[in-house]
Structure formats: C-alpha cells, structure tokens
Amino acid sequence: MALMTCQEAALAALAHEMQEDPTIWALGEDLGRGGVFGQYRGLQQRFGAERIVDTPISEATIMGAAVGAAMMGTRPVVEMRIADFALCAVDELVNQAAKARFMFGGQAKVPLVARHPMGTWKNLAAQHSQSLEAWWVHVPGLVVAAPATPADCAGLLKSSIRCDDPVVLLEHKDLWTYAAEVDEALPPVPLGVAECARDGRDLTLVTWSAARHLALAAADAAAATGIEVEVLDLRTLWPWDRGAVLGSVSRTRRLLVLHEAVQVAGFGAEIAATVAETLGSILAAPVRRLGAPRVPIAYAPPLEAVYRIDQGRVLATIQGLVRG
Amino acid sequence: MALMTCQEAALAALAHEMQEDPTIWALGEDLGRGGVFGQYRGLQQRFGAERIVDTPISEATIMGAAVGAAMMGTRPVVEMRIADFALCAVDELVNQAAKARFMFGGQAKVPLVARHPMGTWKNLAAQHSQSLEAWWVHVPGLVVAAPATPADCAGLLKSSIRCDDPVVLLEHKDLWTYAAEVDEALPPVPLGVAECARDGRDLTLVTWSAARHLALAAADAAAATGIEVEVLDLRTLWPWDRGAVLGSVSRTRRLLVLHEAVQVAGFGAEIAATVAETLGSILAAPVRRLGAPRVPIAYAPPLEAVYRIDQGRVLATIQGLVRG
Amino acid sequence: MSEATVQPTGPVLEGANDAMLARLIAHQRTMARIRAFEEAAAEAAAAGEVLGLVHPSIGQEAVAAGVCANLERHDLVTSTHRGHGHTLAKGADLAATMAELFGKASGFCKGKGGSMHIADFSVGMLGANGVVAAGIPIAVGAAQALKLRRLPGVAVTFFGDGATNRGPFFESLNWAALFRLPVLFVCEDNGFGSTTRNEAVSAGPGPAARAEACGVPARTVDGSDVAAVDEAAAALLAEIRASGSPRLLHARTHRFLGHTSIDAQGYRSADELAACRKSDPIAFNAARLRALGCADAEISAIAAAAGGEVAAAVAAARAAPHAPSHEAFADIQDIGGGLWR
Amino acid sequence: MSEATVQPTGPVLEGANDAMLARLIAHQRTMARIRAFEEAAAEAAAAGEVLGLVHPSIGQEAVAAGVCANLERHDLVTSTHRGHGHTLAKGADLAATMAELFGKASGFCKGKGGSMHIADFSVGMLGANGVVAAGIPIAVGAAQALKLRRLPGVAVTFFGDGATNRGPFFESLNWAALFRLPVLFVCEDNGFGSTTRNEAVSAGPGPAARAEACGVPARTVDGSDVAAVDEAAAALLAEIRASGSPRLLHARTHRFLGHTSIDAQGYRSADELAACRKSDPIAFNAARLRALGCADAEISAIAAAAGGEVAAAVAAARAAPHAPSHEAFADIQDIGGGLWR
Ligand SMILES: Cc1ncc(C[n+]2csc(CCOP(=O)(O)OP(=O)(O)O)c2C)c(N)n1
Ligand SMILES: Cc1ncc(C[n+]2csc(CCOP(=O)(O)OP(=O)(O)O)c2C)c(N)n1
Ligand SMILES: [Mg+2]
Ligand SMILES: [Mg+2]
C-alpha cells in the first residue's frame, strides 16, 4: 500500500497501460507540459511526441480524429482539459463515437477514452465548472465513469482504456490532489460495479465522484446521532450497478441520491425513478434527491456556495428520511 | 376555427410575429427555399433576405451569431434543420446563450429561439432521429418547449419568440403534416403551462410532443376496458407544470410518464422522481416510465420499431398500474 | 456532353497506349456501375423500398472513379451523405451495398445504417456520414493511426463544397498539415449545398485557397473528366506517399439530380440543368474511348453489364430478409449494451 | 525595449504635431492603466483575494490601446479569457472592473462572472469569454444585428493566435465576408496558446492568409508599437465603415507573464523572456514620447496616476460587500428561473 493522490495514481495507471500496449496514445492541449493537472507529467519525455500529442486548440478535431484513430486499431486517450470544453466536440462524441459501431453494423469499434475534468474547483465560474454526466448516460453507445478515489481513478482509467467502447471518464477537478492509500499495483477496477463505501442498515445513500466524500462525512455525522447510512459509490454511471442499489435499498427501504450536478434532469433522477418504480411499494419513506439548484455556477464564493450542498443539509435530509 | 397542419400553423405564427416586430429574423440553411419542412415557405419573398437568412453550413456560427445578435436587440429564430445537427453548436447554446445573462450579471438578455426538429421520421437512422430534450432541461438558463398540436406549435412559437430567454423549441418532424382544428388567431400559448388533453380519475399519463397522440389513443383503448386515464401534455418541459402534474396525481394516485426519447436519464426520470419524492406516500402504485430502450436508432423498419413504443404496450402498462 | 460535341484533349490522348486505354475502360466500368446503382436506388426510393433519404451522385461519378483508381485496398476512405459512389469505387461489393439500402441483414451494416451510413471496412471504406464535414476529422485520425502503427496507406476524405464552410474542415486541414499525415482531402464541388448555391454561402477564392492557408497544397481539376481526376489524384497521392503530408484536390463537378432523390430542383432552370448535363462524365469518357478506337459495342457492353449487375443486386436485396429485431440490441457496446434501462 | 536602444521611426514621427502627441499620450495613459491593473490583479490573485484564473495581458497593452482608440462608445467589442485590457481600453470603469475580479456586488457582473466573464455593456464591451474563440461568432452576430437595425457601429473581436485553430474562427470569417458585416477581427498573436508555442500547433502562413482565404482582407502589424497598431486599426476601420465589410488585423505581440498569473513559464528560457521584454510597448512609446519632446516627469506622472487609480480601485473592491446569496438565483431567465427544481 502507498499514499497517492488521484493525479499520481491516474498518471501511473496511464504510464503503465502505455508501456504495455503501443497502440495507446493520448492527445490534447499542452500534454507535453504535463497537462493542466499534471496527469500527463513526464509522459512525453518517456513515450515521445507521437504518443503524447500536443494538439492545436481544435476540440472538434481532437475528438473527431480520435474516432478515426480508434476505428483504425489504436486506443486514443482524449484529453478535453475542462469538461465544459467538450461541448465544442459533441457531434464527434455523440453522433460519431457513440454510434459508429452500431450504424456500421458492428464493422468498427471505437475504443477511446474521453477524459472530462468536471466539477467546481477554484471558483472558475459558469464555463469551467459543469457536471454533465446525465447527458452522457442518456446516449446509447457510451460508457460513463466517475471515480472518487485514487484507486478508482487509476483502476477505472485502466479499465476504460482496455474497454472496446467509447468511455467518458469524468475526473473531478477538485480531487486531483486528494490522497489516499492504494494498492501499488493499481489494479483495474471493473466498469459497472459500485463500491459499498460504508455499510448501514437505515438508509442507502447513492453517490459518485466528489460527492462520495461529502456523503461519507455526513454518514459519520449521522452515525453519531444513531443512524447508520449505507454509502454506495456508483463509480460507473453507465452501466450503473442496479443490483447493488436495489439490493441495498431492499434492505434499508430508504434512498437518498446525492450529486454535485444540477438536480433537475440530473442522473439522480434516473436512480430515484428506477428505485421508485421497482421498490416503490416497499419503501419506508419516499425516495429523495439532493443536487444543485438549476443555476449557472457563479464566480464569487458566497454565490457559488448556493450551488454546493453542505454536510448539514445532507445530514438533515438523512434525518428527515429516517426519523420522518 | 380552421383545419391546419403544424407546418401551416407554425409558418403563420412566424409570419405574424415578423410582421409585428422588425427585430425578429430567422437564420439557417435553405430557409429561402422554405426550409426543410416548409416552415419558412414564402417568408424570404415577403420579408427579404436580410430577415430570412440563408446561411452557410456553419452550425456553430449560426448559433454563435444568434447569441451576439440577440444580445444586441434583435430576436433571432435559429433553425437547426435537424435536432441532431444542433450537436455541432452546443458550446454556443449551453456555454454562451444559456449563461450569458447570468455571467454578465444581468447586463444582457439572449432572446433567441433555437428550433430543433426532433424525433424519428422517415427512417432517417441514428444521426437524424434523436430526442434530446432531457439535455436541454438540465441546463440552467434555457426554456424548453415541445408542442404536439398545430395550435401549440403556433402558440408556443409565438411565446418563445416573445420570451426574453433562450428557448429550445423541439418541433417533432413527424408532426409537421399533422392537422387539427385551430383558432385562426393562433393565440400565444403560455410557456410553462400543461394542457389536460383528457380527463380521467384512474391514472395520470404525463407526456409531450408526438407521444401525446399515442397517449390519447391508448387512453381511449383503456376507456373501452373501463379505465379512465387523465392525459397531461406538458408542452413546456422547462419550466414544467409541477402544479398540474402533482394536482392530477394527487387525485389519481397513479403516474405513467410516456416519451419517445431514450428512457435512461430521459426527462421522464425527472417527472417520475419528483412525483415519487413528493407524493410517494400516497401513491396507489409505484410510478412508472415508458421510453425508448438505450439503443441508437436503426434504419431498417423492424429494427427501428424496437425504438418505438406501441399502443399495446402503453395500454398493457396502464392496465398493469391500475389493476395491479 | 452530347457525344457530337465532345472534343477530348490533353495528355491522356497524346501518349495513348494500351495501358491507358485499359485504365479508361476501367474508369468507364466504375462510373457505369455507380450510375446504374444510383438510378436503381432512386427508383427504389420512389417505390418506397429504400427508405430515409437517398442522395444520388449521378453526374459526379468521375471523382469517385478517378480518385479511387489510385488507391490500394489498405488505403482508407471516409465519405458523406452522398456516398454510394465512393463505396463502390473503393471496391465494396455492390450487392451488399444495395442490400444495405434496402435495410436487409445482408447489407454491410445489417440494415442498421442505410444509405447515409454505408460502410465496408473490409475494403477500407470507413463510412458515409449523416453530418456534413464529420467524416473529415475521422479520416485525419485514421491517417494518424496508420502513421502511429507504421502502416502504409493514405486516408482519403470526400466532402462537398458545402462542407468547406464548417469548422472541422479547417481544423482538420491545419491538423493534417501540422502532424504531416497522409491525407488526401477531396472536395467534390457540385456548386450546391442542398438547395443553396455555393457562391451564395462561400466567400473568398475557394477550397484550394482555404487549404493552402492552412498549409495544405492544393490543386483544382475538372471533376467531369475522369482522366483529369485520375491524373491529378495520382500526382497528389504520389506527393502524399513521398512526403507523408496532406494534399487537397478540388474537383469541380455537377449534380444532375436534386439534393435527394425526391428533390425536384425547382431552384434550377431547365436551361441550367441541360447545360450541366452536357458535362456528363460517362458520355465524355465514352467519346474519348471512341476516339481512341474503342468500339461502340464494347462501351455499351460496359453499361449493360453494370445494369445487369445492379438489377441482380436489387432482386437479391428485395428478396433478402431483414435482420431479426434483437439485432437492434447488438453492436452497441460491450459494457452496458443491449440493456433496456 | 531598454530605453537607450529605442529607435522610434516611421510616419508617426515625421509629421509629428500636437494632435499626434496628444494621441500618443492618450495611448500611454491607456497602456499604463492596463499595466497597473494587471499587476494589481496578479498580486491580488497571489494573495487569494482574486479567485479563479487570472490571465494578465502585460506586454500586449498596445493592441487593446491602439485598436480601441479608434472606437466610438457605440462600437462593440468581444474579448477572451485575457480581457481586462480590452475592457479598460473600451472605456469601462476601472473600479467596477476590479470589483468584478474581487467578486463583489459593485462589479460589472455583481461578482457572478469574475475575470473570465468581465463585461460592460454600457460601453459596448460584450464580454470576455472562458471558451477560446467563442467570442468571435458573437461579435459577428452583434454586427449583423447592427446592420439589421440600421445602426452605426462596428464590432471588434479580439482573440489569440491559439483561437485561429478553432472552427468558429474560420466559419465566422466566411460569414462576415459573405454577409458584408462591419467586423474587425483582431488576432493578438503572442506566440503562445497556454504553454504551447504557436508554431507547434499552427500550419500554413498564418492568420492573415487564413482570413484572406475566407474573403477577409488582412494586415499584419507590430503589436508592440501602439502607434503602428493605431494606424493600422484606423485604416482597417475606415475601410470597414466605408465598405461595410470585414477586415482582419494580425498584431504580433508578446506575453511577458505566464498564461495565467500562477504560471511560472518554465517552458521559456530566461534569455527568451528577457528578449521579449525588450519589446515593452509602454517603454517603447515612452521613448517615442521623449523623442517628441515630452518631459520625463509627464511620462512618470502617467504611470503614477494609473498606479494611484488602481490602488484606489483595489482598496474599494476589497472593502465592498459581496452580493447577497439570493443573487445566485437572479439574472438567469424570466420564465422558470430561480427555481430549485
Ligand atoms: C452539420 C450538418 N448540417 C446540415 C446538414 C444537412 N445537409 C445534408 S447534405 C447538405 C448539403 C451538403 O452540401 P455539400 O457539402 O456541398 O455536399 P453535396 O450534398 O453537394 O454533395 C446539408 C445542408 C447535415 N447533414 N449536417
Ligand atoms: C475551447 C477551449 N479550449 C481550451 C481552452 C483552454 N485555454 C484557455 S486559454 C488557452 C490558450 C489560448 O491561446 P490564445 O488563443 O493564443 O490566447 P492567449 O492565451 O495567448 O491570449 C487555452 C488552451 C479554452 N478556454 N477553450
Ligand atoms: Mg455540394
Ligand atoms: Mg496566444
């Protein structure tokens, strides 16, 4: 075991995969200098400029070229720099990468990883802070993952690279420097499998990405008041681990979904709706979601704070659900 | 009253608005020839090439220019031709149009209408048939509407044009030739107000766009079996008419949401989750959604059919919910 | 071009020899197959047997034929909504192409794609595309993969004049020049984007100038003369293979039919249409063949053979079964595919 | 440029007169205010008083000053992530600009935007932008609105060399030329896009050639010489106003600091940085002013005044309150805004 940040773990995972498989390459802006978050540090020196490619500011072509390169036997790792800039390349991701295999009747696969550094960080305001995972889950053909720990950042990156599907990997900007113990081998983490981050009998709290840490803190606070919360970190959003969620809620009979993204039409709606449809008749309390208000993300801290969910609100919601 | 198609009604509404307000103009490809669906027929002859603008195939700039023009005192009607091509202009819609007013602290408004001809029609396959309303509802700053009748196509277009917000107007490709009686004055239809298309006491069926017609047919079939279904056509998806939906479900205690789009992370999840959260404890049956499977839309009719929901399935679902 | 007025000229005729004649005959065959295919596709669309939108390339056959005659099987092609000609010229099986238009299981895409998504990866045809200009960066990336894997081959991307106004076209030019990728950009300039004239939506001197401004050398050619296209494509491809860097071919051509098979072209006068039909690449090449001593019978035999092949393909496609509906859940993704929710 | 080595030349000096001197002094004032503002902003960012990312335009002041000196209040500007200079040069209040960087209610955007979204619509400054090249089509559309409404005015869009590789740049050039819109495209070419050198990501002869290939006449100028920028912008703007059609100005300039205020520029040698600092537009213009007889004291008074104004603005911004948190629910949309769900 070793202490590693998400950035260190993801960097090591990518380096490991590139060492093993010469068809893996990465493309994006400023990768030669290590990438915006250091997640490519040293890789150009090690693997050369042909495999760690500094691109022009041409998001549409970064993504479009990756589609062609993926169809032709390579595994591109596409760096979108900030998830919001991926909006300059949506045709390429949604109309091309996600659909090519199907439209061509299985003649081609598109094994690429689109890395989207998501979420609020450093008060970057409305065009650099969005969390749009719900969009990508809605698109047939895409796998979507959103790790929250160094082990998962590394393990899901490995699995995403090895996966033959286009994967949108949502890496939270605020977690790059988050450190935790990891198995130094950084084993791949299977796509589609949730992690039970905390056992509990009273309520199932489903979450992913940075909100996992908020969920665990709130669960600890709830434990101090005698409520035992089970925290499930989905890790992969498509396919999401229905079995784990439904199994847990079958036991706890209470569901809270917590995520950073806007609540309206967020991915929490899918989880809540599915649980309500499937287990609605056995629930001890109505399903519940906590997400951001439907507002653009402001720059000034007191205004940005409105977008963030704090531990007190999570705790109060848990207590409301369990104590009625 | 007069019989009009959606195309005729929308065309008349746009002509009326353009006549009244010289700051309204439309831009998109081939508008001079009437637009792909005839929804601009004759307007260039009437209003000139400066107000009905034939643009290059430059979706990003069609949308981006509309943002600038909207901020500068005009009301652009942006024709995206096929909703799927709007994916070439997502930064412009989501990062710019939707956020400008907020980011600039209210200094600018962005009164534009982005017309997205959506949905399956004529076996156009995976890149010409998508229904992505859930995406736009998720984006703070956008109004989203999806009419299903000639009166609503006209009335919501008028209201969208008059609205100071950026509106995504989802016009279903399969409805352009659908005809129904309309008030010849084509009165504006207020944004945010659902229409109760059919009264019923046993179940609330919430729907929008082309699925309204399927819902009504299924409701008729259900009535023949003694089940009275209330059909609510949301018409506007953001803001959606919570009052109407919650009011109706409070009475019927049963909810079915029906939409053409992919069910996973579709907008039906938001309705179902909200109802489950709010009324979960009084429901007579768990909430239920019917949407498309998470597959790209195929070309060949038997494969495309998988994507479509048929009346039999809606009826069976209604019966299952009511009879248990 | 009416046969009486044809005046074939140029280098092809001067040094004419057997190899050249054979090449022109091969072009004639390719073009005749495309023409017959497009006519049948349009007819089947009118009959409701082919669905969606069909964009025939009638009048433009010389571009596909002249360019693809210079490609090896391992070379790659990306195409557009108007992609049947490129598919056939690149060597795809005609019957499987037709079957795809009919949406049948025996089609290249099992009926999942149809006309706008026709592809045959086995011959390097990486797909038509329903989104204007979207095939361009895909070709560029395919070329980048070839280079990375030290594989031989070039990627050719066909696109229309209308596509030259979309951002990805420019981005891809810069990208291909920058990374020195073996890409041939082929602009099929038929003067129209759907119902709108190119000059009404494009400013500046044209596609070649745009390419050169992004570092991609370019040539303009008469796209109705298959020998001229062949010669220009051969020269540019030789430069690409030698230098490893991209080139653009701007081919002026004519779209005889409407944008789609159901577009009656009310926006073009009868005179204009008649004039443009005079540049029929098939008639032009036939006249050249005759001038080189080819017998009329041989030329009509080419057309007849193409017609027969296409008729057989239509009959087979008509008779073929659709894929079973569970195929709609296959070929989506390995992880999480085929799930309803 | 070290003052001893400055050799001011060119038309400005030859016909020097009082009006010219006054204009150069005005430029000096504009540039000094931008410089002082940027230094204070970077300092406040280092102190954690200004959040997000701050992109100082130190070294590039002559472009904003020289271009905006030719604009009326009703003319429009769109800008980039590096937008403080354009904002001030267009006439925005310096204190309200600084307050926005501090995120305070007295800022132009009430603290909702911050540095990357600074805007002052009252002077026609339609916004910085967090997305590279996104301001370009917005300016083009703004110009189209002016034309439609028969209003006077031009729209100027500032963007970096890096932005010239994004599709919307090309699309907008074609669009503006096609529709004959009064747009001045200004490429501030500092040779870098973030940490990457422009020559490593851009092929072909450069922004001016790209513009001309899309029908937009262009000029290249020394962007460190405010008088040269002024002269070129004046000429191009006159052409735009006369013809109603667009032009591009390519200004070569230098970014003295890193991409952001926290970028230590490890990718540039000390020598390179020292060399580029020799092209300091403020020192260069100061030398020219001295050569024209302007007293040292007058020049230092300009810098001192700017420093004082900025210091006052910082103090005011620091002291000002944040907007109340309910402001986060305002200015979103009329219909359906301010709702939690
Ligand atoms: C991004 C996008 N915008 C619009 C369309 C609709 N469309 C399909 S073909 C076409 C015209 C294309 O013109 P051109 O590139 O010249 O090709 P041609 O049809 O002439 O072969 C248009 C506008 C589309 N498919 N994709
Ligand atoms: C679409 C997009 N891609 C990437 C970025 C990240 N980014 C911000 S500034 C910048 C460099 C821009 O270079 P240039 O246009 O030359 O402007 P400069 O910073 O030199 O003023 C990059 C890559 C962005 N903001 N938007
Ligand atoms: Mg064309
Ligand atoms: Mg730069």
Side-chain angles (χ1 to χ4, degrees), chain B residues 281-304:
Chain B
S281 48
I282 64 135
L283 291 178
V287 296
R288 191 65 197 278
R289 294 174 289 161
L290 274 180
R294 191 175 180 277
V295 301
I297 299 161
Y299 163 70
L303 305 185
E304 197 212 45

Side-chain angles (χ1 to χ4, degrees), chain C:
Chain C
M1 206 169 270
S2 98
E3 287 166 27
T5 65
V6 167
Q7 300 292 340
T9 54
V12 175
L13 272 186
E14 265 124 59
N17 59 24
D18 283 0
M20 273 183 176
L21 190 63
R23 196 162 175 98
L24 290 177
I25 289 175
H27 289 327
Q28 189 72 2
R29 214 171 268 134
T30 304
M31 294 193 294
R33 290 175 82 233
I34 297 173
R35 174 74 52 99
F37 185 95
E38 298 289 33
E39 286 172 348
E43 212 175 286
E49 290 184 305
V50 166
L51 302 168
L53 294 171
V54 169
H55 303 82
S57 67
I58 292 177
Q60 309 184 185
E61 296 91 342
V63 186
V67 170
C68 292
N70 293 286
L71 301 181
E72 305 288 327
R73 190 183 174 105
H74 65 246
D75 291 323
L76 307 173
V77 161
T78 69
S79 174
T80 68
H81 53 287
R82 202 177 302 287
H84 309 153
H86 312 134
T87 308
L88 297 177
K90 187 63 175 69
D93 181 60
L94 189 148
T97 307
M98 188 61 83
E100 185 58 33
L101 268 64
F102 275 72
K104 298 303 177 67
S106 49
F108 279 121
C109 313
K110 307 177 192 165
K112 298 181 182 185
S115 164
M116 271 197 287
H117 307 298
I118 190 76
D120 177 7
F121 280 64
S122 74
V123 298
M125 160 52 190
L126 307 186
N129 212 303
V131 179
V132 167
I136 305 175
I138 292 176
V140 163
Q144 202 152 4
L146 293 179
K147 188 171 177 183
L148 193 64
R149 296 173 62 200
R150 309 282 181 264
L151 293 174
V154 304
V156 177
T157 177
F158 291 95
F159 52 90
D161 47 290
T164 67
N165 291 323
R166 275 206 66 222
F169 167 61
F170 295 96
E171 291 186 4
S172 289
L173 287 169
N174 179 60
W175 186 290
L178 187 69
F179 295 119
R180 304 181 67 81
L181 301 178
V183 179
L184 179 62
F185 295 84
V186 180
C187 178
E188 289 187 299
D189 180 357
N190 60 15
F192 280 89
S194 191
T195 68
T196 301
R197 277 175 210 279
N198 183 246
E199 62 260 31
V201 288
S202 296
R210 292 179 180 197
E212 299 200 330
C214 294
V216 177
R219 259 181 77 168
T220 298
V221 76
D222 175 0
S224 299
D225 178 349
V226 69
V229 173
D230 183 0
E231 184 272 327
L236 293 174
L237 284 161
E239 289 173 31
I240 294 169
R241 295 188 206 272
S243 69
S245 60
R247 297 290 184 273
L248 180 136
L249 178 63
H250 172 211
R252 292 186 196 281
T253 176
H254 297 275
R255 191 190 78 195
F256 289 3
L257 301 188
H259 173 55
T260 61
S261 62
I262 52 167
D263 167 16
Q265 302 202 76
Y267 46 92
R268 291 170 93 178
S269 71
D271 281 2
E272 180 187 337
L273 276 170
C276 107
R277 276 174 205 276
K278 285 206 180 132
S279 308
D280 186 333
I282 295 181
F284 183 81
N285 196 52
R288 180 175 275 154
L289 284 171
R290 269 182 219 103
L292 290 169
C294 201
D296 268 1
E298 194 180 346
I299 297 170
S300 2
I302 290 173
E309 186 187 359
V310 166
V314 167
R318 191 174 282 142
H322 282 114
S325 62
H326 65 72
E327 267 293 345
F329 296 95
D331 300 325
I332 299 172
Q333 53 195 112
D334 288 346
I335 308 272
L339 300 178
W340 275 72
R341 319 164 233 263

Side-chain angles (χ1 to χ4, degrees), chain A residues 30 57-58 127 294 299-300, chain D residues 51 101 130 165-166 195-196 333:
Chain A
D30 300 299
I57 307 174
S58 303
Q127 291 177 334
R294 192 176 179 277
Y299 163 70
Chain D
L51 302 168
L101 268 63
N165 291 323
R166 275 207 66 222
T195 67
T196 301
Q333 53 196 110

Side-chain angles (χ1 to χ4, degrees), chain A residues 29 57 59 81 85 88 128, chain D residues 81-82 130-132 160-163 166 190 192-194 259:
Chain A
E29 300 148 11
I57 307 174
E59 279 75 10
R81 189 176 185 124
F85 308 156
C88 301
H128 283 67
Chain D
H81 53 287
R82 203 177 301 287
V131 179
V132 167
D161 47 290
R166 275 207 66 222
N190 60 16
F192 279 89
S194 190
H259 173 56

